């Protein structure tokens, strides 16, 4: 019998989907594999490829003890295909097929929509690795470098997960889409990634932390809603990906938290109480809180754009067809069909921001975004507690949802962080108060000096409270290969 | 939808298009203002279009030929990121009355045909430079261009998603041009037309859906290079200066009658009838084409063309109940012949060519107008040459015979000219007389032998040019009875019958678009699977699927 809990290593590709017995898909994946390895090798700087990195590798999909930690060279990381265990008798949790048995094969009529959703999800995974490719060179510690690589290899595995679905269930089209996932590339003129936020640069580590906190959280919300899918293999794939995704947001939240901590400690040490005394604070080699707020503003709003149009036909279709659900669909107390319900959506009428009820089916994106905003507020609250505890009078805020938006109803107007519609002149005049300027970027860049001694940290970031896998403070998370 | 749709526009009023003129190349940008739809209730997102967008495009295409004859290549492109054009606006279609949908499609089809033919008619070649999504009507815009270039960014695609997504057809020539013009193999066309997401990159070229696929980083540059190359290879003569198309004056009376300087539209709503009277020229013909060019849009032949064109469009969209259009002319046949002769004798002059080609389009527009049409050749009329073509376009023609009591106008005559024997083909590529005499080609030769003669009723009947000649005694009654009878028939049956009888002879891509594709589309537009309360068009955007009756009809 196939062992569906423990990962099988009897093929080149670790998996719990019985790949060795599925010759057709195995062949397709093995054909895709060299292209993937080339992509990885061309991407990450060579000396890191040769380094031994203390990584966790998924060995099981059992929630207790699903991974093991060990040193591994990244190109030898066992990327694999792992699906959460099948739930006996699972039914479709929403839409017009509510209550019918979940699909184990792709229903022909939804083939294209499913494929498109999987391709878009798949496209984001390698996108972020590409954005972060040079960050290893300026890692503020071996601990952080290890976290970066952990995030990177897991995004790589998530790409594998999507590619597996494409190759297993979508025939020749699926294989072509899988190949194209390696053709598109972040920020490329030739063939950019599909979504805007994945073509932005991640120029420094604070951006990386903000990205993993805000943008990976969009990923989490998307995975949560795909985990509801009536297409069972997609649901199972996403459920397991969520296990890994949690770590990425941990990296983001603690990364920003530790940056704030270093700033607070430096301010306290030098008796600075005014958080706006930017010049003096920067002299201490830490990042001032107003600049952190600006970075937050940028990454939060880019991430809000990822939720698409507030009122969306595609999202409505995906829900109604049972392909993509809402966040925590099972816990929502309604009929899960939304045929006659409404949902409040913001829009612009006569130059004012108003809220209107629209058919709930069409407001699926808006609802997911609202859930996201609540979810994203948690970490911000914890950062503020840190700041309050240090006695500094400053509060980080999530800006208004209309601020700095490129997609959706707010893309046509300028809105300040407090939610007031302003003229484009005023926006031009004041945007530097709200978004990082080139000078801010240059300053942060000036702090990005590598710190590769075990247990040492760059000036601008505090040490973590606990180590990965409970390792001690001076643990050598990356054994650097110095060619 | 009671407001009057005005087809008259000019660049100062454009909301959706702009043109950058660069010597022999014009860059035409589609940049649809989503809040400037012709009607309320929808937003023109993602460069989707409604009739208002297409009215502007038709104006752009028209001005390109008259005002910018130096242009040899037009590059149609999107000014928006990530989308070329998403096609006709679905909410507009979902909300529109059937009659509006049909007229909208007809006008867009005519506009597509116009810029498609601009290369062979005027030496203006259209390139579609496709970046981003090019879906449905968007791809149909590209299909009507003479050359399609697609960027290879592994995202941009061309698609016809109407069938899987909306349960209707790509009805603006889409299905027809894929097989007839692009000559895509039919099994591939079958896949293409039933796949929502379409085809991108190299495969789009392999399947003949586009002419070129170009690396994204080199795309813009290659497009401009190609445009320059085409311009350099163009056989179009260099013209430095165009003429200006000034606004057309018209007044609309309370009863719906419309007056232009040279065209009078008398509307009798209770009789469901519009009578269109065309006035012959009062001034002498310009001495030569220089004089004609100096007159510009004030030259009679162009002035009349523009007014008549506007009148037909106005009646089609704004007077849906006028089921019978009656054409009359009044003027001096010899003087009209002189005006026409200047153009015919100088057909290689750019402006003469443009005016003649414009007449060709107007006559085609009359051919496909879904109204019963008749012409009355009365005393004092000037059905000569191009105007005589109207007689062969309409469904029936009545001519006055002999003198009428108390009528001192010159005797009714018809004069054939060279214009009736070649330069004004119908959509089936035959002349109207060839189509008329499909079973007796020798009748065309006989008619040709009568070129230049002022044919009175008996001669005209002898040559088969009119349906019926009537004298003073019968005229009034016969005409009245015909009109009353005609107005009493079912308009649907009339439209169907006339469309079938008008286009005898060979099929062309154009006849297939206006015949087969349009007829099927209009059938689908009436079926609940598309337009019922639970049909795909109504449900589009709600997240609920169209509820189809699965019975095959």
């Amino acid at each position: 019998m196939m062992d569906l809990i423990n990962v099988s290593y009897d093929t080149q590709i670790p998996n719990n989907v019985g790949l060795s017995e599925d010759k057709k898909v195995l062949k397709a994946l093995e054909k895709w594999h060299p292209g993937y390895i080339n992509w990885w090798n061309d991407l990450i700087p060579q000396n890191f490829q040769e380094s031994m990195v203390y990584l966790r590798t998924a060995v099981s999909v059992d929630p207790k003890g699903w991974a093991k930690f060990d040193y591994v060279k990244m190109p030898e990381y066992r990327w694999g295909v792992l699906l959460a265990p099948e739930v006996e008798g699972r039914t479709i949790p929403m839409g017009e097929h509510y209550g019918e048995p979940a699909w184990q094969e792709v229903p022909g009529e939804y083939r294209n929509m499913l494929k498109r959703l999987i391709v878009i999800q798949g496209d984001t995974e390698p996108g972020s690795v590409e954005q972060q490719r040079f960050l290893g060179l300026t890692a503020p510690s071996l601990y952080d470098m290890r976290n970066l690589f952990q995030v990177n290899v897991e995004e790589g595995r998530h790409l594998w997960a999507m590619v597996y679905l494409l190759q297993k269930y979508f025939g020749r089209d699926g294989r072509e889409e899988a190949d194209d996932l390696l053709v598109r590339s972040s920020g490329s003129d030739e063939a950019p990634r599909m979504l805007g936020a994945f073509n932005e640069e991640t120029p420094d580590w604070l951006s990386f932390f903000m990205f993993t906190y805000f943008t990976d959280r969009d990923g989490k919300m998307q995975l949560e809603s795909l985990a509801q899918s009536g297409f069972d293999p997609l649901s199972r794939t996403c459920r397991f990906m969520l296990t890994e995704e949690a770590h990425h947001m941990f990296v983001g939240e603690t990364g920003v938290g530790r940056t704030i901590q270093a700033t607070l400690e430096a301010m306290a040490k030098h008796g600075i109480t005014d958080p706006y005394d930017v010049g003096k604070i920067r002299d201490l080699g830490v990042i001032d809180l107003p600049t952190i707020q600006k970075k937050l503003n940028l990454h939060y709003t880019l991430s809000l754009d990822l939720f698409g149009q507030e009122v969306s036909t595609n999202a409505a279709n995906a829900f109604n067809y049972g392909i993509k659900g809402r966040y925590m669909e099972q816990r929502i107390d309604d009929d899960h069909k939304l045929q006659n319900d409404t949902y409040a959506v913001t829009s612009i009428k006569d130059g004012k921001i108003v809220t209107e009820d629209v058919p709930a089916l069409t407001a699926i994106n808006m609802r997911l975004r609202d859930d996201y905003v609540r979810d994203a507020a948690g970490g911000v609250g914890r950062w503020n507690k840190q700041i309050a505890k240090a006695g500094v009078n400053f509060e980080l805020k999530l800006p208004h949802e209309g601020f700095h938006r490129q997609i959706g109803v707010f893309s046509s107007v300028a809105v300040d962080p407090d939610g007031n519609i302003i003229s484009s002149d005023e926006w031009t005049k004041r945007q530097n108060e709200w978004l990082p300027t080139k000078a801010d970027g240059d300053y942060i860049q000036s702090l990005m000096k590598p710190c590769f001694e075990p247990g040492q940290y760059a000036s601008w970031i505090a040490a973590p409270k606990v180590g990965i896998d409970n390792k001690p403070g001076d643990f050598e998370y990356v054994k650097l290969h110095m060619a | 939808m009671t407001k009057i749709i005005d087809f008259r526009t000019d660049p100062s009023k454009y909301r959706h298009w702009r043109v950058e003129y660069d010597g022999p190349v014009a860059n035409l940008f589609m940049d649809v203002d989503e809040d400037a739809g012709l009607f309320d209730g929808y937003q023109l997102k993602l460069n989707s279009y409604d009739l208002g967008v297409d009215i502007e495009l038709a104006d752009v295409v028209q001005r390109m030929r008259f005002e910018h004859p130096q242009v040899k290549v037009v590059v149609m492109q999107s000014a928006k990121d990530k989308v070329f054009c998403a096609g006709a606006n679905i909410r507009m279609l979902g909300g529109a009355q059937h009659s509006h949908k049909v007229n909208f499609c007809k006008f867009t089809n005519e506009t597509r045909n116009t810029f498609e033919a601009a290369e062979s008619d005027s030496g203006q070649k259209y390139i579609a430079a496709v970046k981003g999504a090019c879906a449905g009507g968007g791809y149909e815009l590209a299909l009507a261009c003479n050359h399609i270039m697609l960027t290879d960014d592994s995202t941009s695609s061309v698609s016809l998603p109407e069938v899987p997504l909306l349960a209707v057809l790509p009805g603006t020539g889409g299905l027809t041009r894929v097989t007839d013009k692009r000559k895509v193999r039919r099994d591939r066309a079958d896949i293409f037309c039933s796949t929502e997401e379409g085809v991108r990159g190299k495969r789009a070229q392999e399947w003949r859906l586009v002419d070129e696929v170009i690396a994204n980083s080199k795309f813009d540059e290659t497009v401009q290079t190609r445009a320059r190359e085409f311009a350099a290879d163009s056989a179009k003569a260099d013209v430095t200066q165009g003429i200006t198309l000034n606004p057309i004056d018209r007044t609309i009376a309370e009863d719906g009658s419309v007056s232009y300087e040279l065209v009078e539209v008398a509307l009798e709503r209770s009789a469901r009838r519009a009578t269109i009277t065309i006035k012959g020229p009062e001034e002498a013909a310009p001495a030569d084409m220089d004089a004609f060019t100096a007159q510009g849009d004030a030259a009679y032949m162009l002035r009349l063309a523009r007014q008549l064109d506007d009148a037909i469009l106005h009646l089609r969209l704004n007077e849906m109940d006028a089921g019978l259009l009656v054409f009359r002319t009044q003027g001096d046949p010899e003087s009209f012949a002189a005006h026409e002769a200047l153009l015919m004798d100088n057909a290689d002059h750019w402006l003469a060519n443009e005016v003649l080609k414009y007449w060709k389009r107007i006559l085609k527009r009359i051919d496909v107008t879904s109204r019963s049409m008749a012409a009355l050749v009365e005393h004092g009329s000037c059905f000569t040459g191009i105007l005589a073509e109207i007689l062969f376009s309409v469904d029936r023609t009545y001519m006055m015979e002999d003198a009428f009591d108390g009528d001192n106008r010159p005797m009714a005559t018809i004069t054939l000219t060279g214009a009736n024997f070649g330069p004004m083909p119908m959509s089936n590529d035959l002349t109207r007389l060839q189509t008329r005499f499909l079973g007796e080609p020798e009748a065309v030769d006989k008619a040709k032998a009568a070129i230049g003669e002022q044919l009175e009723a008996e001669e005209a009947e002898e040559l088969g040019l009119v349906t019926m000649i009537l004298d003073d005694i019968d005229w009034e009654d016969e005409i009245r009875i015909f009109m009353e009878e005609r107005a009493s028939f079912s308009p649907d049956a009339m439209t169907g019958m006339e469309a079938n009888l008008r286009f005898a002879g060979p099929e062309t891509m154009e006849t297939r678009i206006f015949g087969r594709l349009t007829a099927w589309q209009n059938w689908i537009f009436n079926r609940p699977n598309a337009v019922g309360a639970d049909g795909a068009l109504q449900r589009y955007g709600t997240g609920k699927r169209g509820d189809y009756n699965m019975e095959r009809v």
Side-chain angles (χ1 to χ4, degrees), chain A residues 386-456:
Chain A
Q386 261 177 275
I387 299 171
K389 206 169 145 195
V392 173
N393 189 15
F394 190 90
E395 198 180 339
L396 291 166
K397 285 194 190 97
L398 292 178
H400 187 271
E401 60 182 332
F403 171 73
H404 185 237
R405 296 296 306 282
Q406 312 301 321
I407 289 175
V409 296
F410 294 108
S411 59
S412 59
V413 289
V415 176
D416 74 11
D418 295 325
N420 305 305
I421 295 186
I422 58 176
S423 68
S424 57
D425 281 352
E426 194 176 356
W427 170 263
T428 314
K429 230 184 307 167
R430 299 193 59 191
Q431 60 169 327
N432 285 348
E433 295 171 33
W434 304 320
L435 292 170
T437 61
K438 188 170 177 304
D440 295 330
D442 289 347
Y443 172 68
I444 296 173
Q445 208 59 56
S446 75
L447 298 179
M448 295 297 128
K449 300 266 164 51
C451 185
F452 291 168
E453 289 299 311
Q456 297 297 304

Side-chain angles (χ1 to χ4, degrees), chain A residues 96 109 115 176 189-190, chain B residues 154 197 203 216-217 545:
Chain A
E96 63 185 35
E109 56 191 322
K115 187 178 69 179
E176 285 174 12
D189 288 337
E190 208 59 66
Chain B
S154 92
E197 62 186 11
R203 183 184 290 172
N216 193 41
S217 57
R545 249 187 321 169

